[in-house]
Amino acid sequence: MHFEYHEPTSVREAVELGARFGADGRFLAGGTDLLIQMRRGQLRPRHVVSLHRVPGLDAIDVDGAVTLGALVTHRRLEREPSFRGALQALIEGAEVVGGHQIRNVATVGGNIVNASPAADVAPVLLALDAEVTCLGPGGERSLPLEAFASAPGVTARRPDELLTRARFARLPPHSATAFLKAGRRRAMEISLVCVAARVTLDASRERCLDVRIVLGAVAPTAMRARAAELGLRGQPLTAQALREAGRAAAGECRPISDVRASARYRALLVATLVERALARCGERIRQAA
Amino acid sequence: MTATRIVGRSLPRMDAPGKVTGTAIYAADFALPGMLHGRVLRSRDPHGRLVQIDASRAARVRGVRAVLTAADVADVRYGGSVKDEEVFARDRVRFAGQPLAAVAATSPEAAAEALAAIEVAVEPLPPIVDVTDALAAGAPLVHEGWASYAALPILHRDGNVCNRARIVVGDVERGFEEADRIFEHRFVTRSVHQGYTEPRAAVAQWDSAGQVTVWSNTQLPFEIQSTLSEILQVPVSKVRVVVPGVGGGFGGKLRVGVEHFAALLARKTGRAVKVMTTSEEELTAAYARQPAIVELKTGVTTDGRLLAREGRLWFDTGAFAGSGPGVASVATLMLAGPYRIPHLLLEGYAVYTNKTNFGSFRAPSGPQANFAVESQMDIIADALHLDPLDFRLRNIVREGEEGPTGQVLTAVGLEECLRKVADAIGWKDRRPAPGRGKGIACGWWTTTGGSSGVYVKINPDGTVALNTGAAEIGTAALTGAAQVLAEDLGVELADINVVSADTLSTPFDFGAQGSRTAFAVGNACRAAVADLKRQVIALGARQLGVDESALELRDGAVVAPAEGKRATLAELARISQASGGGLIAHGTFVAPPTPYDAKRVEGHVYPVFHSPSFHAHAVDLSVDADTGEVTIHRYVVAQDVGFAMNPTYIEGQIEGGVAQGLGQALSEEIVYDAGRVLNANLTDYKMPTAVDVPRIESILVQHPSLVGPFGAKGVGEPPNIEPPAAVANAVASATGVRITSLPITAEKVALALRERER
Amino acid sequence: MGKLALSLTINGESHDVLVEPHRTLLDVLRTDLGLTGTKENCLDAECGVCTLLLDGMAVNACIVLAVQCRDRTVVTIEGLAVGAELHPLQRAFIDAGAVQCGYCIPGMILAARAYLDENPTPSEAEVREALAGNLCRCTGYQKIVDAVMRAAGAPAAAR
Ligand SMILES: Cc1cc2nc3c(=O)[nH]c(=O)nc-3n(C[C@H](O)[C@H](O)[C@H](O)COP(=O)(O)OP(=O)(O)OC[C@H]3O[C@@H](n4cnc5c(N)ncnc54)[C@H](O)[C@@H]3O)c2cc1C
Ligand code: FES
Ligand code: FES
């Protein structure tokens, strides 16, 4: 673990360093993924660019759209009052990441760029149709989060680009979100499966106008359960419909068996967690009314 | 019972201030000037011929001061019951994690770089991955030379079996003939790690007189001393082992683990060397609990009397015997359970495989055997339409009855334990809601014998030095012993200073193992006080000019009540210092032998449970029918502790032991695939966190033992025994599904529920 | 890259150290500064024995680079007591019988301290959640949770 250390104090300086080192460099945010991967020898960057003195990347902005700076920590997310209610899933996704020590420093940007299939916050952002913005020597570009990660640890970010923010539209009325995760313990768990759901009902709160179901840890990247989503569109959220959505999602996920769980159990968890997350969305919409 | 002043009270442990302020020094914290960092290269292959090992490039890495391989160390085999271990693999690699070489360097980074530069050529052989593999007809031998190894003569060894311990009582076949129903079941458990938070660590340094001092967090300094003397080929007197603070042991720090590497590297370099394990080394190459297969055949009458049991337990002991032969012996007593069964044939096997040398984890063999026995008790009760509590009460051992090997049982508090946990958990309502159920399990355990010596010295200010060879590993056992000492001497606990675990200066102690420390050191303290009493009374009599018979020791003074005369211990200590070399006593204790019927046992290194303890656990839990997840609502333990020397720390032992037991029950397992560990880090080795462990309710039952100080029995290990069985029984009660393997993961439960639906 | 000179403020005192960038705060505290109250175990941010306060926040010192701590304040277990006067949490840990081997205890106390600073009147469930990143293998957590609740019951001024 030998590298040169850099501590930029502005976004511009950070981007310049990123451009200078390209694939030899890594940005360091909370370090909860990066430093462990480096200690285990999985990553050997020659330059580490710490972002902790870079101002302006740690804001949560809820005017119009919601913007999360890349350096917003999970701790900030879970305590953000404006997320209570329709955006509850963001709180639920953040508050189950590691323990307090992890959440105090681990960032949204790190969660997205690390692109672990088992990440907990990224799936919620995916369910919110978030787009992410990268800033590099060639300027700024935004792309849908769904198009960002393509495999574990592999993203559309160029090595010289800094992820600056994630952004999503505020939800229409009669919307709710929910996040559920399963692990062997109740805390300090990498998800065996996690599910983020978003539901928008029509004005009469009868039928589903829009729905997103995102599954974590059952494919090389977080994935949308499109068949399950499609099946619900225009339908009332009956117990039967929820169960079928769960079953459909289980059918379309592509889990593997590993030391944490078997593929079969993961699929079974998908069915249950999807059903429950959707039910929770339904309850939340009704309660908010 | 006479009233006590100090023993029996929940006084704060003596070493707490140093621990809460960060000033207590543990072996992991220990450092010497100029100290080098040692690291061990371990085999990646579970089995193979070691063709070549080339360390020449490693030796040239900047900062490297020594590289050692088998070629550099004496060709000795060591080990407790079978001498089958070697420091470094010589020509055969027997498990993934086996040491191949060690380096010492000026920084941990240089040491790591050197390890990477050692070239190893291994010609792989198919690994023997488990007991079934090892016992298959024609299976290759893990140790081709097994018969030539020195070993305890009592062991029954045969090829891959490094011991078969056996208990035979009555005629088991006749018992089965007389039985109305016979039940046969098989249970499987996985390896689990002790999970101490302080890694194993040692610093070694040689002096110019050829003596090596090793600061280690071992539980057994005297055992490490003798093992090092074998490995280093120096007399024991040239090896000094000192134990600074120990960050938990639970049986994982009994045997040499890092000390020999530190000592060998220090000898080679002439510098102090520190070796400390990584999480990966802990999970691949430590003394974790043996995986086990248990087969039980039990015959009963329709009215629920146990008549006969044939039980076999096979331990995977890994590549070396280590604790295996002894633990296999203990297992046979555990297979009998705390029950009256007239006909028994019980066998415990320790079987070699190509895995790490599994060892002794808190109540070794206890959880595995108890999981099988107590699960089957519930299965039988169900089949006979008996309440599991009643079924147990009908069969448990009672005062004055015989244990399986013929020992006479006394101070048997089991019925009280069972009734109290059942009441506390609300046993009458065993299935309070759909998906919710209660489970119960009971057991017995030993208070390990072995001898203890203490020196007790009275200081000129009237305070007292307690000098013991036992190490304080966290249980507060030495606070308990000091409470005994303070009680008997008539001083306050705050007056006692403890010096411990230095093989050069402290008297011998059998060590912090087997729930024995407070028990045995406490008794040694009592013996020392008896001696000191004679000394101070003789001195007081001379000093005060009264007859010895007129004097008694009370409140830190000798007093002659009738004469109104008094001399404090401080005064007497000063007088003795001036004229007689000071007040000091050597107190010793060894548990008296427990008679048993030697004809009933074979290959057995542990035929009786000394001053046995009895216990019952009850749990109330819910199971999520969809995910299989278990939620524990309440957990109650009733444990017969004989006499509660310090109730707070006994509760602490129970709470900690149950938490560890719940990990074994629900979430922990070292996962092997073809001899390699798949989860050698704390990300995937799942120990319970504060949100996983429920509040644990302790009921202390006190049937005083005849031997222990004030009637105490060993308390440290037992709480670890019953949790897996209690949980399994409660899960069965909640769901109707019986899980016969550990851990009872949510996945297993969910999939079993699905199978049943089909 | 060679060594970097930096000044660390630990428990209110500044320390000048010369370290390579890869050195963790944990390593520098324990090896260079002899502050071994912050413990070392997994180095994977999983066990919490290395917990300390960085700018008042509980963090795992095993995944913080020392160089990241320039101009920031670090509080370790050694900095909690004021002279001979134990911090109320330290007192409570002793009184509640929460200490066994003690190796997890510095991290536990600092995690609890950070949490009580934020929520002075927590529920037992909240305390358990706040300590989930700190493994203890000896106590089963119960008396640790009791100790934190006990400390929380102390008058706010004492905290
Ligand atoms: C004990 C433990 C438990 C954990 N539990 C969970 C959990 O439950 N759920 C979960 O989702 N995750 C978990 N994690 C993983 C981790 O905490 C999260 O993924 C976290 O969000 C990563 O953020 P970070 O700021 O620490 O990232 P870092 O480690 O700093 O960075 C991660 C990667 O992203 C890059 N990067 C970071 N920020 C930027 C940026 N702005 N622009 C470009 N590249 C960037 C880095 O170069 C690096 O490659 C856990 C980790 C640990 C150690
Ligand atoms: S050593 Fe830092 S969390 Fe384990
Ligand atoms: S007291 Fe030993 S690990 Fe917590």
Side-chain angles (χ1 to χ4, degrees), chain C residues 21-60:
Chain C
H22 69 262
R23 303 274 310 280
T24 62
L25 176 60
L26 177 65
D27 180 21
V28 171
L29 286 173
R30 289 174 60 82
T31 309
D32 301 29
L33 302 177
L35 291 170
T36 56
T38 309
K39 299 303 179 195
E40 169 178 346
N41 178 18
C42 70
L43 304 181
D44 269 344
E46 290 283 351
C47 75
V49 302
C50 64
T51 302
L52 47 66
L53 305 183
L54 180 59
D55 290 338
M57 251 173 8
V59 300
N60 297 119

Short mmCIF file of all heavy atoms in Angstrom, two decimals, chain C residues 21-60:
data_model
loop_
_atom_site.label_atom_id
_atom_site.label_comp_id
_atom_site.label_asym_id
_atom_site.label_seq_id
_atom_site.Cartn_x
_atom_site.Cartn_y
_atom_site.Cartn_z
N PRO C 21 2.23 8.13 3.76
CA PRO C 21 0.79 8.36 3.60
C PRO C 21 -0.08 7.13 3.85
O PRO C 21 -1.24 7.28 4.20
CB PRO C 21 0.67 8.81 2.14
CG PRO C 21 2.00 8.75 1.53
CD PRO C 21 3.01 8.53 2.58
N HIS C 22 0.49 5.94 3.70
CA HIS C 22 -0.38 4.77 3.87
C HIS C 22 -0.63 4.43 5.34
O HIS C 22 -1.46 3.58 5.64
CB HIS C 22 0.20 3.55 3.15
CG HIS C 22 1.46 3.05 3.79
ND1 HIS C 22 2.72 3.37 3.32
CD2 HIS C 22 1.66 2.26 4.87
CE1 HIS C 22 3.63 2.81 4.09
NE2 HIS C 22 3.01 2.12 5.04
N ARG C 23 0.10 5.07 6.23
CA ARG C 23 -0.06 4.71 7.65
C ARG C 23 -1.42 5.15 8.17
O ARG C 23 -1.83 6.29 7.99
CB ARG C 23 1.05 5.36 8.49
CG ARG C 23 2.48 5.04 8.07
CD ARG C 23 3.01 3.77 8.68
NE ARG C 23 2.82 3.69 10.12
CZ ARG C 23 3.60 4.28 11.02
NH1 ARG C 23 4.64 5.02 10.63
NH2 ARG C 23 3.38 4.15 12.31
N THR C 24 -2.09 4.27 8.87
CA THR C 24 -3.40 4.63 9.41
C THR C 24 -3.23 5.40 10.72
O THR C 24 -2.20 5.30 11.39
CB THR C 24 -4.26 3.39 9.68
OG1 THR C 24 -3.59 2.60 10.67
CG2 THR C 24 -4.49 2.57 8.41
N LEU C 25 -4.28 6.11 11.06
CA LEU C 25 -4.28 6.82 12.33
C LEU C 25 -4.07 5.81 13.46
O LEU C 25 -3.33 6.06 14.42
CB LEU C 25 -5.62 7.55 12.49
CG LEU C 25 -5.84 8.28 13.82
CD1 LEU C 25 -4.77 9.33 14.05
CD2 LEU C 25 -7.23 8.91 13.84
N LEU C 26 -4.71 4.66 13.35
CA LEU C 26 -4.59 3.63 14.39
C LEU C 26 -3.13 3.25 14.59
O LEU C 26 -2.62 3.20 15.72
CB LEU C 26 -5.41 2.40 13.99
CG LEU C 26 -5.32 1.22 14.95
CD1 LEU C 26 -5.91 1.57 16.29
CD2 LEU C 26 -6.01 -0.01 14.36
N ASP C 27 -2.46 2.98 13.50
CA ASP C 27 -1.07 2.54 13.55
C ASP C 27 -0.19 3.64 14.15
O ASP C 27 0.67 3.37 15.00
CB ASP C 27 -0.66 2.20 12.10
CG ASP C 27 0.76 1.72 11.99
OD1 ASP C 27 1.32 1.28 13.01
OD2 ASP C 27 1.33 1.80 10.88
N VAL C 28 -0.40 4.86 13.73
CA VAL C 28 0.44 5.96 14.23
C VAL C 28 0.21 6.18 15.72
O VAL C 28 1.16 6.36 16.49
CB VAL C 28 0.19 7.24 13.40
CG1 VAL C 28 0.87 8.44 14.04
CG2 VAL C 28 0.68 7.03 11.97
N LEU C 29 -1.04 6.12 16.14
CA LEU C 29 -1.32 6.29 17.57
C LEU C 29 -0.61 5.21 18.37
O LEU C 29 0.05 5.49 19.37
CB LEU C 29 -2.83 6.16 17.83
CG LEU C 29 -3.72 7.33 17.42
CD1 LEU C 29 -5.19 6.94 17.60
CD2 LEU C 29 -3.39 8.57 18.23
N ARG C 30 -0.76 3.98 17.93
CA ARG C 30 -0.25 2.85 18.72
C ARG C 30 1.26 2.73 18.62
O ARG C 30 1.93 2.45 19.61
CB ARG C 30 -0.92 1.55 18.27
CG ARG C 30 -2.38 1.46 18.68
CD ARG C 30 -3.06 0.22 18.10
NE ARG C 30 -2.46 -1.03 18.51
CZ ARG C 30 -2.70 -1.65 19.65
NH1 ARG C 30 -3.56 -1.13 20.50
NH2 ARG C 30 -2.11 -2.79 19.93
N THR C 31 1.79 2.89 17.41
CA THR C 31 3.21 2.62 17.21
C THR C 31 4.07 3.84 17.48
O THR C 31 5.08 3.74 18.18
CB THR C 31 3.44 2.12 15.77
OG1 THR C 31 2.53 1.07 15.50
CG2 THR C 31 4.86 1.63 15.59
N ASP C 32 3.69 4.98 16.93
CA ASP C 32 4.56 6.15 17.03
C ASP C 32 4.33 6.93 18.32
O ASP C 32 5.24 7.56 18.84
CB ASP C 32 4.34 7.09 15.84
CG ASP C 32 4.62 6.43 14.50
OD1 ASP C 32 4.44 5.20 14.41
OD2 ASP C 32 5.02 7.12 13.55
N LEU C 33 3.09 6.93 18.79
CA LEU C 33 2.78 7.79 19.92
C LEU C 33 2.54 7.02 21.21
O LEU C 33 2.29 7.61 22.26
CB LEU C 33 1.55 8.66 19.60
CG LEU C 33 1.71 9.54 18.34
CD1 LEU C 33 0.44 10.30 18.03
CD2 LEU C 33 2.87 10.52 18.54
N GLY C 34 2.59 5.68 21.14
CA GLY C 34 2.43 4.89 22.35
C GLY C 34 1.04 5.00 22.97
O GLY C 34 0.85 4.68 24.14
N LEU C 35 0.07 5.45 22.18
CA LEU C 35 -1.29 5.53 22.70
C LEU C 35 -2.02 4.24 22.35
O LEU C 35 -2.70 4.15 21.33
CB LEU C 35 -2.00 6.76 22.12
CG LEU C 35 -1.45 8.11 22.61
CD1 LEU C 35 -2.04 9.26 21.81
CD2 LEU C 35 -1.76 8.29 24.10
N THR C 36 -1.84 3.25 23.19
CA THR C 36 -2.37 1.92 22.86
C THR C 36 -3.77 1.68 23.42
O THR C 36 -4.27 0.57 23.35
CB THR C 36 -1.42 0.82 23.35
OG1 THR C 36 -1.23 1.01 24.76
CG2 THR C 36 -0.09 0.85 22.64
N GLY C 37 -4.37 2.72 23.99
CA GLY C 37 -5.75 2.56 24.45
C GLY C 37 -6.71 2.32 23.30
O GLY C 37 -7.73 1.68 23.46
N THR C 38 -6.38 2.83 22.13
CA THR C 38 -7.17 2.54 20.93
C THR C 38 -6.70 1.19 20.42
O THR C 38 -5.52 1.03 20.09
CB THR C 38 -6.93 3.64 19.87
OG1 THR C 38 -7.13 4.91 20.47
CG2 THR C 38 -7.89 3.48 18.71
N LYS C 39 -7.59 0.23 20.36
CA LYS C 39 -7.16 -1.15 20.15
C LYS C 39 -7.15 -1.54 18.67
O LYS C 39 -7.73 -0.85 17.83
CB LYS C 39 -8.08 -2.11 20.92
CG LYS C 39 -8.06 -1.87 22.42
CD LYS C 39 -6.67 -1.97 23.00
CE LYS C 39 -6.64 -1.72 24.51
NZ LYS C 39 -5.28 -1.48 24.98
N GLU C 40 -6.51 -2.65 18.41
CA GLU C 40 -6.35 -3.13 17.04
C GLU C 40 -6.86 -4.56 16.94
O GLU C 40 -6.53 -5.40 17.78
CB GLU C 40 -4.86 -3.08 16.68
CG GLU C 40 -4.51 -3.79 15.40
CD GLU C 40 -3.03 -3.68 15.06
OE1 GLU C 40 -2.32 -2.85 15.67
OE2 GLU C 40 -2.58 -4.45 14.19
N ASN C 41 -7.64 -4.83 15.92
CA ASN C 41 -8.05 -6.21 15.69
C ASN C 41 -8.20 -6.48 14.21
O ASN C 41 -7.23 -6.84 13.55
CB ASN C 41 -9.34 -6.52 16.48
CG ASN C 41 -9.87 -7.91 16.26
OD1 ASN C 41 -9.15 -8.80 15.80
ND2 ASN C 41 -11.13 -8.14 16.57
N CYS C 42 -9.40 -6.26 13.64
CA CYS C 42 -9.69 -6.78 12.30
C CYS C 42 -9.07 -5.95 11.18
O CYS C 42 -8.83 -6.47 10.09
CB CYS C 42 -11.19 -6.86 12.09
SG CYS C 42 -11.97 -5.23 11.97
N LEU C 43 -8.86 -4.67 11.42
CA LEU C 43 -8.38 -3.73 10.40
C LEU C 43 -9.33 -3.62 9.20
O LEU C 43 -8.96 -3.08 8.16
CB LEU C 43 -6.96 -4.09 9.93
CG LEU C 43 -5.91 -4.18 11.03
CD1 LEU C 43 -4.54 -4.51 10.45
CD2 LEU C 43 -5.83 -2.89 11.85
N ASP C 44 -10.52 -4.12 9.33
CA ASP C 44 -11.51 -4.11 8.24
C ASP C 44 -12.72 -3.26 8.59
O ASP C 44 -13.76 -3.37 7.94
CB ASP C 44 -12.01 -5.54 7.96
CG ASP C 44 -11.18 -6.23 6.90
OD1 ASP C 44 -10.44 -5.55 6.17
OD2 ASP C 44 -11.30 -7.47 6.79
N ALA C 45 -12.64 -2.46 9.63
CA ALA C 45 -13.76 -1.62 10.06
C ALA C 45 -14.97 -2.44 10.51
O ALA C 45 -16.09 -1.95 10.52
CB ALA C 45 -14.17 -0.64 8.96
N GLU C 46 -14.74 -3.69 10.88
CA GLU C 46 -15.85 -4.57 11.24
C GLU C 46 -16.05 -4.71 12.75
O GLU C 46 -17.14 -5.02 13.19
CB GLU C 46 -15.63 -5.98 10.66
CG GLU C 46 -15.76 -6.07 9.15
CD GLU C 46 -17.22 -6.07 8.69
OE1 GLU C 46 -18.13 -6.16 9.52
OE2 GLU C 46 -17.42 -5.95 7.46
N CYS C 47 -14.99 -4.55 13.55
CA CYS C 47 -15.12 -4.93 14.96
C CYS C 47 -15.26 -3.75 15.91
O CYS C 47 -15.77 -3.89 17.01
CB CYS C 47 -13.93 -5.78 15.38
SG CYS C 47 -12.42 -4.85 15.63
N GLY C 48 -14.78 -2.59 15.51
CA GLY C 48 -14.99 -1.38 16.32
C GLY C 48 -14.02 -1.17 17.47
O GLY C 48 -14.13 -0.17 18.17
N VAL C 49 -13.05 -2.06 17.69
CA VAL C 49 -12.16 -1.85 18.84
C VAL C 49 -11.27 -0.62 18.66
O VAL C 49 -10.71 -0.10 19.62
CB VAL C 49 -11.27 -3.08 19.18
CG1 VAL C 49 -12.10 -4.31 19.46
CG2 VAL C 49 -10.23 -3.34 18.11
N CYS C 50 -11.16 -0.14 17.42
CA CYS C 50 -10.30 1.01 17.14
C CYS C 50 -11.09 2.31 17.12
O CYS C 50 -10.57 3.33 16.68
CB CYS C 50 -9.62 0.81 15.79
SG CYS C 50 -10.83 0.77 14.45
N THR C 51 -12.33 2.27 17.61
CA THR C 51 -13.17 3.48 17.55
C THR C 51 -12.57 4.62 18.37
O THR C 51 -12.15 4.43 19.51
CB THR C 51 -14.57 3.15 18.11
OG1 THR C 51 -15.12 2.09 17.33
CG2 THR C 51 -15.49 4.38 18.03
N LEU C 52 -12.53 5.80 17.76
CA LEU C 52 -12.16 7.02 18.48
C LEU C 52 -12.99 8.16 17.90
O LEU C 52 -13.82 7.95 17.02
CB LEU C 52 -10.65 7.27 18.39
CG LEU C 52 -9.97 7.16 17.03
CD1 LEU C 52 -10.44 8.23 16.07
CD2 LEU C 52 -8.47 7.25 17.19
N LEU C 53 -12.77 9.35 18.43
CA LEU C 53 -13.54 10.49 17.95
C LEU C 53 -12.67 11.36 17.06
O LEU C 53 -11.59 11.79 17.47
CB LEU C 53 -14.07 11.32 19.13
CG LEU C 53 -14.90 10.56 20.18
CD1 LEU C 53 -15.42 11.54 21.23
CD2 LEU C 53 -16.05 9.82 19.53
N LEU C 54 -13.14 11.58 15.85
CA LEU C 54 -12.46 12.47 14.93
C LEU C 54 -13.41 13.64 14.70
O LEU C 54 -14.53 13.43 14.20
CB LEU C 54 -12.16 11.72 13.63
CG LEU C 54 -11.44 12.50 12.52
CD1 LEU C 54 -10.09 13.01 12.97
CD2 LEU C 54 -11.28 11.61 11.28
N ASP C 55 -12.99 14.82 15.07
CA ASP C 55 -13.89 15.98 15.07
C ASP C 55 -15.22 15.63 15.75
O ASP C 55 -16.30 15.99 15.27
CB ASP C 55 -14.15 16.47 13.63
CG ASP C 55 -12.90 17.11 13.03
OD1 ASP C 55 -12.01 17.54 13.80
OD2 ASP C 55 -12.82 17.16 11.79
N GLY C 56 -15.14 14.91 16.84
CA GLY C 56 -16.32 14.59 17.63
C GLY C 56 -17.14 13.42 17.11
O GLY C 56 -18.10 13.01 17.75
N MET C 57 -16.77 12.88 15.97
CA MET C 57 -17.52 11.78 15.37
C MET C 57 -16.84 10.45 15.64
O MET C 57 -15.61 10.36 15.54
CB MET C 57 -17.50 11.96 13.85
CG MET C 57 -18.79 12.38 13.24
SD MET C 57 -18.58 12.76 11.49
CE MET C 57 -16.94 12.28 11.04
N ALA C 58 -17.63 9.43 15.91
CA ALA C 58 -17.03 8.11 16.10
C ALA C 58 -16.60 7.57 14.73
O ALA C 58 -17.38 7.56 13.79
CB ALA C 58 -18.04 7.16 16.73
N VAL C 59 -15.35 7.16 14.64
CA VAL C 59 -14.86 6.56 13.39
C VAL C 59 -13.97 5.37 13.74
O VAL C 59 -13.50 5.23 14.87
CB VAL C 59 -14.03 7.56 12.54
CG1 VAL C 59 -14.87 8.78 12.16
CG2 VAL C 59 -12.77 8.00 13.28
N ASN C 60 -13.75 4.52 12.75
CA ASN C 60 -12.82 3.40 12.90
C ASN C 60 -11.43 3.87 12.51
O ASN C 60 -11.17 4.11 11.33
CB ASN C 60 -13.22 2.24 11.99
CG ASN C 60 -14.58 1.67 12.32
OD1 ASN C 60 -15.50 1.69 11.50
ND2 ASN C 60 -14.72 1.15 13.52
#
